[in-house]
């Protein structure tokens, strides 16, 4: 979640609320969906864990060698100088040595092989000199070195993963190390997406004069392409109050979330907000954000509703700053990695009006001294989708801030932490 300085409402437009206030209202109205499904761990990456994972045994299950070398008792290490030890046998991973060693003896041992009783130290083979059936060691070593103790990774009875964890590859390996083939995860979040506007045409058709191809639905579809989400494509909904109302009410019967683009400004033909007011409950519909001022939030039936602007860049900005945090709260994710947000020195000027958060698209990098820098991608119009494609970060200009001069520092949010 991006945090910026709080500020009062823009005095120039009643009902316009700051970005942080909008996000707080959205999160407060985004309860966890509940419900789970059982999946094989091979298919669990990116899903939200719905149960605690507790160990039934130690991992590793036995004390073993961390390197290839020679196992011995720490008591046989020379305090100074060197010492020659007799090699009494070999031990391999999966083929443990059977028997006991006498003082002055050692064991040739491979990585992962169990440590025989009475031995507690391993010397790397590079640090020993083999001489026939003996090995020469010196006094630079310490008792207990190069040994992995039983249970040092996971202890019997330890809870290693908790509900709400969005599973990443190391988690899958951790679960596998306990021999668990299936787990319970939060069910997929069902999200219906729609584009509105009589000027929008589907790919594969020929737009009429003044028409354009629908890009917003495809941007959203790509942004929602993750293992814990099921996308329901409503297509392009005709920009009529009755058509929108019917589409949204039907979607609310099976979707947890409805996301539409277009039709939420104050124009005479913008009917999405009207449909929301008629069928559901509207929370707010104007945010002090550029791009993204017209943004409707509320509920239709049991579904959370997001009415995003129609301009392509505004769709992307509002999705990542306002919609995605809500979706992840509904999924019950409670440990999402922190999205990086840090300061960078601007290389060019930026025009900015106080009274709203502005989010220009930028390209960040490092100068010869390793200092982070940022520059604009150029034209920042909310319809210039190429400004997002050229960028590698969002530049976050706080609500009360004015114009930015080259050399000043700004907050930047790398796409690597968002996408």
């Amino acid at each position: 979640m991006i945090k910026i300085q709080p500020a009062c409402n823009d005095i120039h437009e009643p009902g316009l609320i700051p970005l942080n206030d909008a996000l707080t209202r959205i999160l407060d109205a985004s309860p966890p969906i509940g419900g789970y499904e059982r999946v094989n761990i091979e298919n669990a990456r990116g899903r939200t864990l719905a149960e605690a994972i507790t160990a039934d045994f130690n991992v590793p299950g036995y004390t073993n060698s961390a390197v290839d070398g020679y196992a011995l008792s720490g008591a046989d290490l020379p305090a100074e100088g060197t010492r020659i030890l007799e090699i009494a046998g070999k031990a391999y991973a999966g083929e443990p040595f059977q028997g006991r060693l006498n003082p002055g003896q050692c064991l040739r041992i491979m990585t992962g092989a169990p440590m025989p009783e009475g031995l507690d130290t391993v010397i790397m083979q590079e640090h020993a000199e083999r001489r026939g059936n003996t090995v020469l060691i010196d006094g630079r070593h310490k008792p207990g070195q190069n040994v992995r103790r039983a249970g040092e990774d996971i202890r019997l009875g330890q809870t290693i993963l908790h509900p709400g964890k969005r599973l990443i590859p190391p988690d899958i390996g951790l679960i596998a190390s306990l021999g668990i083939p299936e787990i319970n995860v939060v069910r997929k979040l069902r999200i219906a997406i729609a584009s509105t506007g009589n000027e929008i045409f589907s790919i594969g058709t020929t737009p009429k004069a003044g028409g354009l191809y629908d890009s917003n639905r495809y941007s959203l579809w790509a942004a929602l392409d993750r293992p814990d989400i099921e996308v329901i494509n409503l297509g392009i909904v005709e920009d009529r109050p009755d058509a929108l109302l019917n589409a949204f009410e039907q979607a609310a019967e099976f979707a947890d979330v409805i996301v539409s683009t277009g039709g939420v400004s104050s124009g005479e033909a913008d009917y999405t907000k009207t449909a929301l007011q008629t069928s559901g409950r509207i929370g707010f519909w104007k945010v002090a954000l550029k791009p993204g001022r017209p943004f409707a939030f509320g509920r239709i039936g049991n579904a959370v509703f997001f009415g995003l602007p129609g301009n392509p860049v505004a769709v992307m900005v509002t999705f990542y700053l306002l919609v995605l945090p809500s979706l992840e709260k509904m999924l019950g994710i409670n440990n999402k990695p922190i999205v990086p947000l840090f300061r960078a020195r601007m290389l060019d000027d930026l025009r900015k009006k106080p009274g709203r958060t502005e989010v220009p698209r930028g390209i960040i990098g490092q100068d010869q001294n390793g200092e982070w820098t940022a520059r604009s991608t150029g034209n920042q119009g909310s319809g210039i989708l190429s400004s997002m494609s050229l960028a590698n970060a969002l530049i976050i200009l706080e609500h009360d801030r004015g114009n930015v001069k080259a050399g000043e520092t700004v907050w930047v949010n790398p796409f690597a932490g968002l996408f």
Side-chain angles (χ1 to χ4, degrees):
M1 180 193 310
I2 290 177
K3 286 293 186 184
I4 59 173
Q5 296 176 358
C8 58
N9 290 359
D10 187 337
I11 61 174
H12 301 296
E13 186 173 353
L16 198 65
I17 64 174
L19 175 61
N20 273 357
D21 289 356
L23 183 56
T24 297
R25 293 193 196 184
I26 289 171
L27 293 178
D28 287 346
S30 302
I33 54 173
Y36 66 90
E37 58 182 310
R38 195 155 184 84
V39 299
N40 295 327
I41 61 170
E42 302 97 299
N43 302 318
R45 180 182 182 273
R47 303 299 296 272
T48 304
L49 189 62
E51 63 176 327
I53 304 297
T54 302
D56 291 333
F57 50 82
N58 288 327
V59 177
Y62 50 86
T63 300
N64 64 89
S65 176
V67 297
D68 293 343
Y70 299 91
L72 61 145
S73 168
D76 283 333
L77 291 171
E80 57 184 28
T82 61
R83 184 173 186 181
I84 294 178
L85 300 176
E86 177 190 0
I87 301 172
K90 296 180 180 180
Y92 298 90
E95 298 180 24
F97 176 78
Q98 303 295 331
R100 292 182 61 89
L101 272 64
N102 297 318
Q105 291 183 319
C106 67
L107 188 71
R108 180 75 168 115
I109 196 166
M110 301 296 129
T111 302
M115 293 287 291
E117 184 179 352
L119 306 188
D120 58 10
T121 303
V122 177
I123 296 175
M124 293 178 64
Q125 59 188 15
E126 295 87 350
H127 297 163
E129 181 183 340
R130 180 78 180 257
R131 295 180 175 180
N133 198 41
T134 65
V135 64
L136 177 70
I137 62 174
D138 56 35
R140 57 179 162 168
H141 306 288
K142 295 181 179 180
Q145 69 180 24
N146 298 321
V147 172
R148 296 184 290 217
R149 301 291 175 184
E152 72 174 22
D153 185 8
I154 303 171
R155 301 183 309 279
L156 170 66
Q158 178 185 355
T159 297
I160 59 168
L161 295 171
H162 296 270
K165 178 79 162 69
R166 187 165 189 250
L167 297 170
I168 60 176
D171 300 328
I172 305 303
L174 204 58
I175 296 168
S177 73
L178 294 175
I180 299 173
E182 297 179 337
I183 56 174
N184 292 327
V185 297
V186 175
R187 69 167 176 84
K188 291 186 178 184
L189 189 65
R190 295 186 290 267
I191 303 177
I193 60 173
S195 291
T196 69
N198 295 331
E199 78 283 12
I200 304 298
F201 290 82
S202 295
I203 295 173
T205 63
T206 301
K208 299 177 182 177
L212 66 157
Y213 285 118
D214 177 16
S215 65
N216 289 338
R217 197 159 33 99
Y218 293 92
S219 295
L220 282 175
W221 208 331
L224 294 167
D225 184 17
R226 41 189 281 176
D228 51 1
I229 287 175
E230 176 187 349
V231 176
I232 303 158
N233 181 15
L234 301 181
I236 299 174
V237 180
E238 190 176 355
D239 210 5
R240 297 192 338 263
D242 60 330
L244 291 167
L245 190 59
N246 182 61
F248 294 158
E249 287 182 337
Q250 288 189 23
E253 294 179 2
F254 52 82
D256 303 298
V257 180
I258 302 170
V259 183
S260 73
T261 63
V264 290
S265 67
S266 54
E268 292 183 2
D270 292 327
Y271 299 124
T272 299
K273 180 169 66 72
T274 302
L276 179 60
Q277 290 172 319
T278 301
S279 177
R281 302 180 298 279
I282 188 166
F284 57 86
W285 65 279
K286 291 186 294 185
V287 180
L289 175 66
K290 181 184 179 183
R293 184 188 66 83
F295 177 93
F297 172 73
R299 297 190 75 91
I300 292 181
N302 292 322
V304 174
F305 180 88
F306 295 98
L308 277 54
N311 285 316
V313 177
V315 168
M316 291 280 87
V317 169
T318 54
F319 174 81
Y320 284 107
L321 298 192
L322 292 170
V323 179
L324 184 58
S326 168
L327 305 184
E328 295 188 329
K329 182 169 184 266
M330 295 177 73
L331 282 163
I333 298 172
N334 58 25
N335 74 324
K336 183 183 177 183
I338 296 172
V339 176
L341 188 68
F342 55 86
R343 304 291 286 184
R345 176 172 51 86
M346 282 301 304
L347 298 179
D348 46 13
D349 296 343
L350 293 174
R351 298 180 63 184
K352 163 74 165 66
K353 291 182 178 180
R356 65 188 180 194
T357 301
E358 295 193 14
V359 188
R361 280 67 67 201
I363 300 171
I364 59 174
Q366 290 177 290
D367 62 17
Q368 64 273 18
N369 298 318
E371 180 185 4
W372 285 102
T373 63
R375 59 186 174 89
S376 165
T377 57
N379 191 333
Q380 296 294 303
S382 60
I384 309 297
L385 188 54
S386 59
S387 70
M388 286 288 289
S389 180
L390 291 170
N392 64 4
L394 298 177
I395 299 172
I396 311 296
L397 303 180
E398 303 93 320
H399 188 102
D400 291 329
R401 190 165 187 169
N403 292 332
V404 177
K405 295 292 185 182
E408 295 181 13
T409 61
V410 294
W411 290 108
V412 294
N413 191 175
F415 284 173
L418 287 176
F419 294 174

